[in-house]
Amino acid sequence: MRLSTRNQLTGTVVEVTLGSVMATVKVRLDGGEQVVTASITKEAVAELGLAEGTPATVLVKSTEVMLGVE
Amino acid sequence: MRLSTRNQLTGTVVEVTLGSVMATVKVRLDGGEQVVTASITKEAVAELGLAEGTPATVLVKSTEVMLGVE
Amino acid sequence: MRLSTRNQLTGTVVEVTLGSVMATVKVRLDGGEQVVTASITKEAVAELGLAEGTPATVLVKSTEVMLGVE
Amino acid sequence: MRLSTRNQLTGTVVEVTLGSVMATVKVRLDGGEQVVTASITKEAVAELGLAEGTPATVLVKSTEVMLGVE
Amino acid sequence: MRLSTRNQLTGTVVEVTLGSVMATVKVRLDGGEQVVTASITKEAVAELGLAEGTPATVLVKSTEVMLGVE
Amino acid sequence: MRLSTRNQLTGTVVEVTLGSVMATVKVRLDGGEQVVTASITKEAVAELGLAEGTPATVLVKSTEVMLGVE
């Protein structure tokens, strides 16, 4: 499926923390040292089989992105 | 100001497209070739003085991040 | 690609309205008369080739869903 | 109160899972078999009295909707 | 309809700017000088009849709120 | 850092509830009695040192704001 979602960044899962219904998953982006944190449902973590070392794509709708300048 | 926002990725503006009230801004992330698109208000683009070449930080709340796996 | 996104509803595009940088797309959900409106970038509409009659999947992250009761 | 929120889909709660501060609620949409998952606060679940069988409206702002095509 | 949406702040519309498909609406919150900007569809502005002086409620899902500290 | 985020409202933390990976934080806005609830990661609460009485800024992207009228 091709998505309208503008931002699709490739990386690798470096940490999964499971809560009661939610979970946080950290993904290191390819080609750099920058890490992205996702707060997703625990159900989604189980369904996708996310664990340390899993290659994963980070997806963010462009309307969710803010910018900052010094 | 320190922010609760988990994702703060540094980069450089590579394209600004102004609409009537909204705008899209593309930022190339440091340390890689990955580009992020932000849909923000035209007012914000003017206030921050965003233009091609402006160093900028991409901010995304962790609850807005989705993950995909092959 | 399998997605963490909990909500993936199938339907058919019934209307596309293009703005200057944004667009609104209406999708009638399968198996009912309910219609969903998406505000996405004009760029995404072009890339996906969305037009009246295109079968499309509506995706919404669960953290974006609110509930109401009478 | 009339809302700017474009997407207001009627359905019935089919599952409530309570976490420590968050909760997930699944709603089957009327006129079809499609189910929507909402991640909302546990406080909201209590206030609205959501339980299996409660008629509920699913609300999603149009800027939160993504589209996918095969 | 009672909503799961945690944040419902009352105020008055002080400015409406119409774009091609989107619009920005500024609302001064009651009991203070703080102003909130909403980016909503032009369609919603028309349907709700929003104009300078309209009493309006600002709604924000709690998962969309970030915090900053000095 | 100056932010594209249109809504930056000042206030004071009045309640922090920690979950397993998420937390809810309530902030009373300055100049009024209105309270805003944020659902953020527990990690962010710890990093920012949020507690009852902490002065805090509430940040919300304009695309996340909905409006209601009677």
Side-chain angles (χ1 to χ4, degrees):
Chain A
M1 186 161 58
R2 290 178 301 130
L3 300 172
S4 64
T5 318
R6 296 296 83 197
N7 301 306
Q8 305 192 25
L9 308 171
T10 56
T12 304
V13 174
V14 291
E15 187 185 302
V16 176
T17 307
L18 299 178
S20 40
V21 294
M22 298 296 286
T24 52
V25 181
K26 292 183 190 288
V27 176
R28 173 168 296 124
L29 299 184
D30 291 345
E33 288 306 298
Q34 308 207 79
V35 171
V36 169
T37 301
S39 293
I40 64 176
T41 58
K42 195 162 126 177
E43 181 184 83
V45 171
E47 264 188 40
L48 299 189
L50 296 171
E52 203 183 318
T54 309
T57 300
V58 165
L59 298 106
V60 181
K61 194 172 191 295
S62 67
T63 47
E64 307 300 347
V65 180
M66 296 163 285
L67 297 176
V69 295
E70 293 302 330
Chain B
M1 187 162 56
R2 290 178 301 128
L3 300 172
S4 63
T5 317
R6 295 296 83 197
N7 301 305
Q8 306 191 24
L9 309 171
T10 55
T12 303
V13 174
V14 291
E15 188 185 301
V16 176
T17 307
L18 299 177
S20 38
V21 296
M22 298 296 286
T24 52
V25 181
K26 292 183 190 289
V27 176
R28 173 167 296 124
L29 300 183
D30 289 346
E33 287 306 299
Q34 308 208 80
V35 171
V36 169
T37 301
S39 293
I40 64 177
T41 59
K42 195 163 126 177
E43 183 186 80
V45 171
E47 265 188 41
L48 300 189
L50 296 172
E52 203 184 318
T54 309
T57 300
V58 165
L59 299 106
V60 181
K61 193 173 192 295
S62 67
T63 47
E64 307 300 346
V65 179
M66 296 163 286
L67 297 176
V69 296
E70 294 300 333
Chain C
M1 187 162 56
R2 289 178 302 128
L3 300 172
S4 63
T5 317
R6 295 296 82 197
N7 301 305
Q8 305 191 26
L9 309 171
T10 56
T12 304
V13 174
V14 290
E15 187 185 301
V16 176
T17 308
L18 299 177
S20 38
V21 296
M22 298 296 287
T24 52
V25 180
K26 292 183 190 288
V27 176
R28 174 168 295 123
L29 299 183
D30 289 346
E33 287 307 297
Q34 308 208 80
V35 171
V36 170
T37 301
S39 293
I40 63 178
T41 59
K42 195 162 124 179
E43 182 185 82
V45 171
E47 264 188 41
L48 299 189
L50 297 171
E52 202 183 319
T54 309
T57 300
V58 165
L59 299 106
V60 181
K61 194 173 191 294
S62 67
T63 48
E64 307 299 346
V65 179
M66 297 164 285
L67 298 176
V69 295
E70 294 300 332
Chain D
M1 187 161 56
R2 290 178 302 128
L3 301 172
S4 63
T5 317
R6 294 298 81 197
N7 301 306
Q8 305 191 25
L9 309 171
T10 56
T12 303
V13 174
V14 290
E15 187 186 301
V16 176
T17 308
L18 298 178
S20 39
V21 295
M22 298 295 287
T24 52
V25 181
K26 292 182 189 288
V27 176
R28 174 168 295 123
L29 300 183
D30 289 346
E33 287 306 298
Q34 308 207 80
V35 172
V36 170
T37 301
S39 293
I40 64 177
T41 59
K42 194 163 127 178
E43 182 185 83
V45 171
E47 264 188 42
L48 299 189
L50 296 172
E52 201 182 319
T54 310
T57 300
V58 165
L59 298 105
V60 181
K61 194 174 191 294
S62 67
T63 47
E64 308 299 347
V65 180
M66 296 163 286
L67 297 176
V69 295
E70 293 301 331
Chain E
M1 185 162 58
R2 290 178 300 128
L3 300 172
S4 63
T5 317
R6 295 296 85 197
N7 301 305
Q8 305 191 26
L9 309 171
T10 55
T12 304
V13 174
V14 291
E15 188 185 300
V16 176
T17 307
L18 299 178
S20 38
V21 295
M22 298 295 287
T24 51
V25 180
K26 293 182 189 289
V27 177
R28 173 169 295 123
L29 299 184
D30 289 347
E33 288 306 299
Q34 308 208 78
V35 171
V36 169
T37 301
S39 292
I40 63 177
T41 58
K42 195 163 126 179
E43 182 185 82
V45 171
E47 265 188 41
L48 299 189
L50 297 171
E52 202 183 318
T54 309
T57 301
V58 164
L59 299 107
V60 181
K61 193 171 192 293
S62 67
T63 47
E64 307 301 344
V65 179
M66 296 163 287
L67 298 176
V69 296
E70 294 300 332
Chain F
M1 187 161 57
R2 290 178 301 128
L3 300 172
S4 63
T5 317
R6 294 297 82 196
N7 301 306
Q8 305 191 25
L9 309 171
T10 56
T12 304
V13 173
V14 292
E15 187 185 301
V16 176
T17 308
L18 298 178
S20 39
V21 295
M22 298 296 286
T24 51
V25 181
K26 292 182 189 289
V27 176
R28 174 169 294 123
L29 299 183
D30 290 346
E33 288 306 299
Q34 308 208 79
V35 172
V36 170
T37 301
S39 293
I40 63 177
T41 58
K42 195 164 127 177
E43 181 185 82
V45 171
E47 264 187 40
L48 298 188
L50 296 171
E52 202 183 320
T54 310
T57 300
V58 165
L59 297 106
V60 181
K61 193 172 192 296
S62 66
T63 46
E64 307 300 346
V65 180
M66 296 163 286
L67 297 175
V69 296
E70 293 302 330

